[in-house]
Amino acid sequence: MVAPNQLRPADTPLLWALRDHLDMVGTKFGCGIGQCGACTVHIDGNASRSCQMKVSQLDGKEITTIEGLSEDGSHPVQQAWKEVDVPQCGYCQAGQIMTASAFLDKNPNPSGQEIKNAMHGNICRCSAYSRIQKAVAIAAENKLT
Amino acid sequence: MSTLIPSKFSRRSFLRTSSLASGGMLIGFNFFTACKDTAKMPIDISKLNYNDFNAFIKIADNGLVTIFSPNPEIGQGVKTSMPMIIAEELDVAWKNVHVAQGILDTVNYVRQVAGGSQSIRFGWDALRQTGATARQMLVNAAAAKWGVDASECSAKQGVITNAKGETLGYGDVVKEAAVLEVPENIPLKDPSTYTLIGTDVGNVDIDKIIVGEPLFGLDYKVDGMVYASVLRPPAFGQSLISYDDAEARATPGVIDVIKIGAKAKALMAKEKVNWSVRLHDSEKVVVIAENTWAAMQGKKAIKATWSDDSELESTDFQDKKLLSLLNGNKFKTLRKDGNVKKAFAQADKVLERTYESPFLPHNCMEPMNFFANVTDQKIHLVGPVQTPAAAAETVSELLGRNIADIRLEMTRMGGGFGRRLYGDFVYESAEISDVIRKPVKMVSTREDDMTTGVYRPAIKYRIAASIKNGEITGYHLKEAAVNSNMYGLIPNFFPAGTLENYQVDVANYKSEITTGAWRAPYTNFLAFAEQNFLDELAEELDIDPIQMRLDMLQKVKGTTDARIQYSAERMEDVINLVVEKSGYRTPKEGVFQGFCAYYCHNTHIAEVADVVMENNQPVVKKVTVAVDCGIVVNPLGALNQIEGGVVDGVGHSMYGDFGFKNGMPVSNNYDSYRLIRNKEAPAVETHFVENTLSPTGLGEPTLPPAGAAVSIALKKATGNRIYKQPFVSNMATKPILG
Ligand code: FES
Ligand code: FES
């Protein structure tokens, strides 16, 4: 265990490095313990909890945040989110979108149950769950065609 | 049913106009009051002054419309639906309307509260009247230009047409319109002619949300800003004695460690404190750092000692206390009809049941945070708060500063649920900045947020009814709660008015634990207690629970009791609609259905929950909802609210548990506090009662009946009646959802 006074910037979680050091605030802080998914980013294409990743663990890895998912919000998952009008408060949605997009890259044609399972780790306190499920399904469809 | 309620909004001069220096017309208006005589309209768009006006509409000379409202968005969609109402009456194409977040510069800003599901209800008349009046001014200006009578001209979708078929765009006449006298009593559109209201309009911030643009308080940043993490007493009832900050100061990134709270304490000691002020009495230690992470780490390194000033409550203490209140006789009577005592004495049978609920934290997805920059000249506050005017006022008192020095900007809010009605985080950040004289953002961790919250109080209800000759002759409800009791018209909700002998009594005890409004205050648990009781009562009387409600409703029809604000007719409508749509009368094999009808927050709702048994476990599959919320301004947004409310209601009834041990919350993050997740969310099917009555809110009213309907369905499926939330804690077979 590291005593707090031995912390180096390299021990900063990716979440806070993104938000405070790089001014990329699309990735959200929800719980800080890997339980809510608000901070989800892609690390080498895998959906990962940025609050649980230290900067020092990321050498040579490719990181994609919500800001980089597409140039202009045109990623099929972002567009599906718009089509379905998913957000209520909107705070969890960057994390939801990052989880969904990584999932669809691996499973482009998921069943309804697979979608629910994949999205189960991302809490939406506003409970926009059915729209999240619907948007993932639509994104999958649009991606296929 | 289709009755048109005429607009009561015809106050003189609720609206002013000006011609913008940069071109275009500016309209300032108020929702709730006439404009002050002294109210001045700016001619510069950067000087919008919310002291005198609630909102502004700019119509540019290219016809584009911008609506500026500081009304904050917490996820209820008001930032979309309220401008829709203006745009409908103004008659402009929605694609030409832009909605901008206004800034609060003032104390006098009225009703800028996103709570109580009331924004739409209060704004309805004023927003329509404003849109209609502005449209008429544009028409009048065009008519003058053409030299014809305004009655020969009409406006549609941003274009004014005269009898000859000549046209002018709104933008072409803004200059002239801006200087015209404001016409009075402009007729409003007939709802059947609406082209925008009632259509699906997406969230106005959607393009920003999907790309992660900075919208929330947590995202706000200025040059030179530092971060603060606050160490508050770990237990309710404690206060700070001393602390050792050596290790914290040695933490990389930590700039300073300070103490705050003396000013807050002095303010709390004052006689009259605004209801939205909730502050811990204790002083607090604050770690100031270069970034959020360092501030949080620094805080962990503080070694503090605390004194125990009062009872450090545990859940069993609270349970005993509340039960002794229910068993005692120190009640305040909130409603009394007839003579309950006599009815009970003469009864063949009295049914009495007790229902229990725990505290609940709000758990907004975005933890509490606020930005403050206090200088000798100005105080700049930015962040997510639902009560900006009260917050600014309190900061002025707290720091002994002139209210005119304060500028408060609201950001989008990552959820509210009642938590952001309380400005504790605003006062903390202001006090911190006042000490360090730097721009600072206070950020709570999830643990801070959950363990130093403003909770839904634990409540117990005891309901008793007397039965004589197969009829209900009396109904007596007692509430025992922590800190405060049900208020306003709640004691007069159904079944009040349907029974001759009826009484509501309340009692509370004061605790150090801070409590307050939580989505649908009181009704969020009252509905569960009362609807289960009615269900059990119907069982006892051996009558159909729905027929029982319908029979009871007959008795309240034509009441002259002004406290009764639910409508028997509207209640019947939602009941009949939900019965039809849920297939309640033609049950499917293996599907157990729980019925509930409820009125709160001015909205009438009935819900039916479907539960099936899978592998000997009850599973909540679906909730069918019938809603009467008047005119549905934006169905797309409304459905989101309804589904959210239902699933939230089911989730918290099922899992929400928040115990205390020695003054300390037992759970502090999502590993120990369970929120409903994706797989567990039942499907929600919504049906609206169609009418043209004024719209009522949807942020809250769908929540209370959801837990009630689910628990009644679970009873049918398992045979066990549930008397306590969360359901998972008191069922032999653990119900699952989804
Ligand atoms: S903030 Fe990382 S999982 Fe919640
Ligand atoms: S939209 Fe509010 S938390 Fe998901």
Side-chain angles (χ1 to χ4, degrees), chain B residues 104-114 267 272-279 370 381 385-399 403 406 408 410 420-427 430:
Chain B
L104 180 79
D105 250 327
T106 178
V107 265
N108 299 326
Y109 196 49
V110 203
R111 185 79 215 169
Q112 254 11 90
V113 181
L267 184 68
K272 215 175 132 268
V273 184
N274 187 295
W275 64 271
S276 69
V277 180
R278 289 284 188 284
L279 293 166
F370 226 79
L381 305 166
V385 65
Q386 282 172 272
T387 48
E393 214 166 68
T394 306
V395 168
S396 121
E397 263 186 73
L398 183 74
L399 303 183
I403 186 79
I406 300 177
L408 192 149
M410 273 167 289
R420 289 187 164 98
L421 293 168
Y422 308 98
D424 47 325
F425 42 89
V426 186
Y427 320 137

Side-chain angles (χ1 to χ4, degrees), chain B residues 48-97:
Chain B
L48 298 182
N49 146 26
Y50 294 95
N51 233 336
D52 294 322
F53 301 97
N54 289 143
F56 293 92
I57 305 167
K58 177 190 157 187
I59 307 173
D61 43 23
N62 59 5
L64 291 183
V65 175
T66 310
I67 297 170
F68 299 86
S69 167
N71 217 46
E73 180 60 68
I74 58 172
Q76 298 181 339
V78 292
K79 202 174 162 186
T80 308
S81 56
M82 294 177 79
M84 280 175 73
I85 300 169
I86 297 176
E88 175 70 61
E89 287 289 351
L90 184 58
D91 218 317
V92 284
W94 183 248
K95 67 172 176 14
N96 292 332
V97 177

